[in-house]
Amino acid sequence: MYQILKKRRLSENVVLMEIDAPYVAKKAEPGQFIILRVDEEGERIPLTIAEYDREKGSITIIFQEIGATTMQLGLLEEGDCLHDFAGPLGRASELEGLKHVAVVGGGLGCAIAYPQAKKLHEMGAEVDLIAGFRNKDIIILEDEMRAASTNLYICTDDGSNGNKALVTDILKQQIESGKKYDAVIAIGPMIMMKFVSLTTKPYGIKTIVSMNSIMVDGTGMCGGCRLTVDGETKFACVDGPDFDGHLVDFDEAMRRSRIYKPQEQSAIEAHREHCNLLKMEVK
Amino acid sequence: MANMSPVKNPIPEQDPNVRNKNFLEVSLGYDETTAVDEAQRCLNCKNRPCVSGCPVNVQIPDFISLIAEGKFLEANAKIKETSSLPAVCGRVCPQESQCESKCVRGIKGEPVAIGRLERFAADYAMAHPTDDAVEVPAPNGHKVAVVGAGPAGLTCAGDLAAKGYDVTVFEVLHTAGGVLMYGIPEFRLPKAIVQKEIDTLKAKGVKFVLNFVVGRTETIDDLFADGFEAIFVGSGAGLPNFMRVPGEGYNGVYSANEYLTRVNLMKAYKEESPTPIYHAKKVAVFGGGNVAMDAARCAKRMGAEDVYIVYRRSEAELPARAEEVHHAKEEGIIFKLLAAPLEVLGDDDFHVKGVRCQNMELGEPDASGRRRPVPIEGSEFILDVDAVIVAIGTSPNPLIRTTTPGLDTNRKGCIVADEVGATSKEGVFAGGDTVTGAATVILAMGAGKKAAAAMDEYIQNKNK
């Protein structure tokens, strides 16, 4: 069993949890992920490792309550335990040798981009962190991101933080203004990663994306997370999750990620109904 | 006086049209009377050809004599002397090509139903637990690790624990059992039975560490640094092969591993399971092995109306266990033999709407000795399906070979090991599918058994 050591709500439906998982913490690196199950009957879901503490033996995850399992996870409190927590999985990001980098995060992707930015910053690279959110109420980890970057640009879709822009607009401005990036690292919804890749392609800037495909085992035994990269079939869980954004077939990946939409929707409804029943019992 | 009936006692089974809608076990097993009657068909021959057909050399005539005498618990104990998982093997071994193929009674009539009797003894013992405490051998002070909790690893762990070793099994999934849990469906091998076998190993002192990914969480060399003196790698062949035809990226195309893992391990067949699965109406399963049969029969039980097995050779070459082919047919699975896929077709929603196939004929034998399928010009046809399950084989996962310096593998990615399981790396032994490529449960168990003996010898010699 894997105990929840700390829980912090970063916004209305984004939660940070620090989990006691010494084996995972021993080897974890930025870019890797874990698979967890909340309880004995639960489904396996992949979540990125947001931070690790080797001495304490803990792993931090950040998730959005977006479906039945993440909602159930969000109900747990400090001291509660997760049934399963496997990792670290996937390949670590290759950050060696990068000197000037733009790290682009979209929404919850900022939490995933944060460890990469932090590590690069610690390695002495100049890091422009471009973080995009729908509105100012869901801006997360602002202080952490500021500490992990040379320059931080936060923008919102609706301009509620005073900077109405898309991450791609800001990225383009920076490139046009003469910034020379060795690489751009983009993490967030697939649609955002696709457009970041399209933005950098004409400039020939190496662009690394972190693919969040549907996964079951996360160890390369099922191929549920397969995607096409440069015309070849790759498994996001073992060959990735990082890939060259200029070579990924994003349209296929986005359509594959929607296969269980109807079931996910009914699971959310069932979860809400269950929670309402619980509330009634409490009364 | 021996029972001279030329045929095996039949085994009661669920009606095909009932069972193809549920996940309960198909085969119901012998009762005591039938088991004793069947046991009396054994002639107890002197040269025991049946034993030579068993990869773990179960003392077959001995345990069958005990059943004939009504000593069912003793019969189970006799099997357990050499086999760690009798309730499993009695159910999933291809007896027709192993023990039963060598049975003298099979020359004129049907062989003795060795598998059914083994299953009977194991099930009887599970249903009649005794109060005798499990015998835990005296510790010999040596620590060994087993990577992978499938049939090879479980057998190896059981044998080493019996010799007094401190055994830890590292398993990547959240449940031990390997293919017995995620691959072979409930209706063929109830998971409660596998769990009981695993619990028996735990009672003998074997430790299980789940959610542990050797190659990522720790490497083989890390395990040596942790103090393990010898390591058995039984990590299987779990990497699915795809068909490499256009359209495999469409939604509704599953590897058999993914489909079966969702259904069996994640219990997607239960309505309340949070793990989703696509409920197809018409399904094409490509392949002809046990995995293809399992996937097809699961798809039928998940509510598909038409389920096709599409195989590029003829019925004679089907690699699946004879009983599974027979069961699949009874349950209404449609066999499209001598046919191969050309392209998966998709609709505007990016979902599978059919498969373009072509007919084949058998040509000259290939390197494997099987007649090679050759396409017939102009024989293309379209199978109207909304899901495709690919069951054309698996390869070993690269995680261990790419993170273990000094461990030799062949061009198929299989670990190279000698007949007792020793690899190119000192102290590392391997067996089962990770060495042979996808094979059978009992061969994996045989390999685990041999490796356990070799590891014991290795550690004893090293410490002399």
Side-chain angles (χ1 to χ4, degrees):
Chain A
M1 297 291 256
Y2 306 82
Q3 199 179 42
I4 300 169
L5 303 173
K6 189 169 101 181
K7 177 184 179 184
R8 179 152 74 95
R9 207 162 263 284
L10 302 183
S11 77
E12 195 191 334
N13 55 12
V14 175
V15 179
L16 173 151
M17 276 181 183
E18 189 180 346
I19 312 290
D20 180 49
Y23 275 135
V24 190
K26 218 161 128 185
K27 285 274 173 86
E29 291 288 344
Q32 292 190 297
F33 65 96
I34 56 92
I35 294 254
L36 65 77
R37 285 203 315 157
V38 176
D39 61 28
E40 210 179 339
E41 300 300 318
E43 65 175 332
R44 296 170 65 92
I45 60 161
L47 288 172
T48 302
I49 294 168
E51 217 165 345
Y52 49 83
D53 185 330
R54 301 215 201 280
E55 279 178 18
K56 202 170 163 193
S58 69
I59 292 286
T60 299
I61 51 171
I62 298 176
F63 59 94
Q64 190 170 9
E65 294 159 305
I66 199 171
T69 296
T70 43
M71 287 173 180
Q72 190 193 359
L73 183 57
L75 292 175
L76 298 183
E77 298 298 340
E78 288 174 9
D80 290 344
C81 284
L82 303 181
H83 201 277
D84 297 290
F85 198 83
L89 300 167
R91 288 171 190 262
S93 299
E94 289 168 21
L95 306 175
E96 287 299 322
L98 300 179
K99 294 278 171 264
H100 304 275
V101 187
V103 177
V104 185
L108 185 71
C110 294
I112 303 169
Y114 161 66
Q116 333 256 357
K118 186 178 166 196
K119 174 133 191 194
L120 282 164
H121 195 61
E122 284 168 3
M123 287 161 60
E126 187 184 321
V127 178
D128 284 357
L129 184 47
I130 305 172
F133 297 93
R134 273 204 312 282
N135 62 59
K136 74 171 174 15
D137 296 338
I138 54 173
I139 292 175
I140 54 169
L141 300 175
E142 186 170 348
D143 295 339
E144 285 88 344
M145 290 194 294
R146 196 169 302 285
S149 57
T150 317
N151 301 297
L152 175 67
Y153 308 90
I154 296 182
C155 53
T156 50
D157 293 358
D158 65 357
S160 54
N161 76 331
N163 186 13
K164 180 173 173 162
L166 296 172
V167 288
T168 45
D169 299 336
I170 295 182
L171 179 63
K172 197 166 173 169
Q173 279 166 19
Q174 296 303 316
I175 298 170
E176 294 278 302
S177 73
K179 284 265 178 74
K180 296 269 178 272
Y181 294 124
D182 307 330
V184 170
I185 298 172
I187 302 174
M190 285 198 202
I191 186 82
M192 181 214 98
M193 295 192 287
K194 173 185 170 176
F195 279 100
V196 168
S197 301
L198 288 174
T199 304
T200 55
K201 197 163 186 187
Y203 302 99
I205 303 170
K206 179 179 164 189
T207 300
I208 303 156
V209 296
S210 176
M211 296 303 288
N212 42 357
S213 313
I214 291 176
M215 290 186 190
V216 185
D217 61 288
T219 62
M221 63 167 260
C222 87
C225 65
R226 68 190 185 275
L227 68 166
T228 308
V229 182
D230 201 17
E232 275 183 53
T233 298
K234 297 279 180 191
F235 291 2
C237 70
V238 288
D239 299 318
D242 287 1
F243 292 100
D244 181 336
H246 296 150
L247 301 177
V248 170
D249 182 342
F250 280 105
D251 294 335
E252 179 190 77
M254 284 189 278
R255 287 181 300 215
R256 284 188 64 79
S257 70
R258 288 196 289 265
I259 175 169
Y260 298 116
K261 272 282 174 287
Q263 280 118 313
E264 285 162 9
Q265 201 49 45
S266 56
I268 291 173
E269 278 153 27
H271 175 81
R272 290 210 172 107
E273 201 171 298
H274 180 69
C275 287
N276 286 338
L277 281 176
L278 284 181
K279 276 180 203 152
M280 275 154 53
E281 279 165 24
V282 171
K283 278 174 196 169
Chain B
M1 179 59 203
N3 168 359
M4 292 313 290
S5 162
V7 292
K8 292 178 185 177
N9 272 289
I11 196 160
E13 288 172 350
Q14 277 197 76
D15 180 82
N17 274 315
V18 173
R19 72 179 192 236
N20 66 12
K21 294 170 193 71
N22 68 48
F23 276 81
L24 302 175
E25 194 170 16
V26 165
S27 172
L28 306 173
Y30 282 159
D31 61 17
E32 294 171 32
T33 317
T34 321
V36 169
D37 188 61
E38 181 66 29
Q40 286 168 346
R41 292 186 63 229
C42 175
L43 301 175
N44 210 347
C45 352
K46 283 227 160 51
N47 58 348
R48 311 178 151 218
C50 52
V51 177
S52 68
C54 172
V56 297
N57 300 129
V58 167
Q59 295 304 301
I60 294 166
D62 296 347
F63 94 78
I64 291 182
S65 303
L66 289 164
I67 293 180
E69 290 167 36
K71 295 177 177 166
F72 305 138
L73 292 174
E74 290 86 341
N76 182 58
K78 178 54 74 179
I79 301 169
K80 286 236 160 182
E81 285 175 10
T82 51
S83 167
S84 309
L85 312 165
V88 173
C89 290
R91 285 173 165 85
V92 305
C93 274
Q95 288 96 1
E96 72 265 23
S97 56
Q98 295 181 334
C99 56
E100 292 182 20
S101 75
K102 304 271 171 84
C103 175
V104 170
R105 293 296 304 265
I107 300 168
K108 286 183 188 176
E110 289 184 345
V112 175
I114 301 166
R116 292 172 184 178
L117 289 172
E118 179 182 32
R119 169 189 165 161
F120 167 79
D123 288 359
Y124 183 91
M126 277 188 191
H128 299 83
T130 53
D131 292 334
D132 307 347
V134 183
E135 224 180 286
V136 181
N140 67 8
H142 298 290
K143 250 174 81 173
V144 291
V146 170
V147 180
L154 293 177
T155 304
C156 185
D159 280 21
L160 287 167
K163 291 190 165 84
Y165 285 93
D166 177 356
V167 186
T168 306
V169 181
F170 295 96
E171 165 59 36
V172 61
L173 290 173
H174 58 257
T175 307
V179 76
L180 307 175
M181 282 298 193
Y182 76 75
I184 303 174
E186 181 78 17
F187 57 80
R188 205 147 79 74
L189 179 64
K191 302 304 152 221
I193 286 173
V194 184
Q195 193 55 52
K196 272 192 189 163
E197 302 272 34
I198 291 165
D199 291 344
T200 309
L201 289 177
K202 283 186 189 161
K204 279 189 191 160
V206 176
K207 287 173 241 167
F208 286 84
V209 179
L210 306 176
N211 299 313
F212 193 101
V213 194
V214 173
R216 293 264 198 248
T217 312
E218 284 196 354
T219 63
I220 295 282
D221 287 326
D222 294 335
L223 292 177
F224 279 121
D226 290 344
F228 292 103
E229 293 174 60
I231 299 170
F232 176 75
V233 180
S235 51
L239 184 79
N241 299 336
F242 283 88
M243 304 185 289
R244 296 171 180 272
V245 299
E248 280 191 299
Y250 285 126
N251 285 339
V253 179
Y254 284 98
S255 72
N257 265 10
E258 180 182 2
Y259 192 79
L260 291 171
T261 299
R262 285 179 182 272
V263 171
N264 300 321
L265 181 69
M266 307 312 297
K267 302 190 167 51
Y269 68 88
K270 293 183 178 170
E271 214 161 301
E272 66 273 18
S273 168
T275 298
I277 194 160
Y278 176 71
H279 290 265
K281 294 276 176 293
K282 293 172 186 236
V283 181
V285 179
F286 289 89
N290 287 321
V291 175
M293 301 303 141
D294 286 344
R297 296 170 72 196
C298 280
K300 188 85 184 174
R301 285 163 171 78
M302 295 299 288
E305 292 151 17
D306 296 333
V307 180
Y308 303 95
I309 291 267
V310 187
Y311 180 57
R312 48 194 202 127
R313 290 188 167 92
S314 72
E315 173 139 12
E317 287 83 16
L318 279 171
R321 200 171 168 244
E323 184 167 284
E324 308 317 325
V325 176
H326 170 70
H327 279 156
K329 284 185 178 167
E330 280 187 333
E331 289 166 14
I333 307 297
I334 307 156
F335 282 70
K336 290 264 179 206
L337 299 165
L338 289 163
L342 291 171
E343 181 184 9
V344 180
L345 308 169
D347 62 18
D348 295 343
D349 278 340
F350 201 68
H351 198 100
V352 174
K353 69 168 184 187
V355 195
R356 196 159 59 83
C357 302
Q358 67 181 343
N359 287 318
M360 314 294 275
E361 59 191 351
L362 291 181
E364 295 301 308
D366 63 12
S368 72
R370 294 188 300 176
R371 292 178 67 193
R372 201 164 56 86
V374 182
I376 301 174
E377 288 292 320
S379 66
E380 289 186 17
F381 64 96
I382 287 176
L383 265 187
D384 168 28
V385 294
D386 62 346
V388 169
I389 301 173
V390 182
I392 57 167
T394 53
S395 315
N397 191 304
L399 264 183
I400 289 176
R401 76 166 179 262
T402 53
T403 56
T404 312
L407 186 65
D408 288 351
T409 51
N410 66 19
R411 65 184 173 82
K412 286 183 172 167
C414 300
I415 295 174
V416 178
D418 67 13
E419 65 284 357
V420 297
T423 70
S424 57
K425 193 175 171 80
E426 196 194 326
V428 177
F429 296 75
D433 287 3
T434 197
V435 169
T436 57
T440 62
V441 168
I442 189 71
L443 285 174
M445 290 182 51
K449 200 165 187 64
K450 281 191 189 132
M455 288 164 81
D456 178 43
E457 201 186 313
Y458 165 76
I459 290 176
Q460 299 308 330
N461 283 337
K462 200 180 69 166
N463 288 288
K464 255 179 201 166

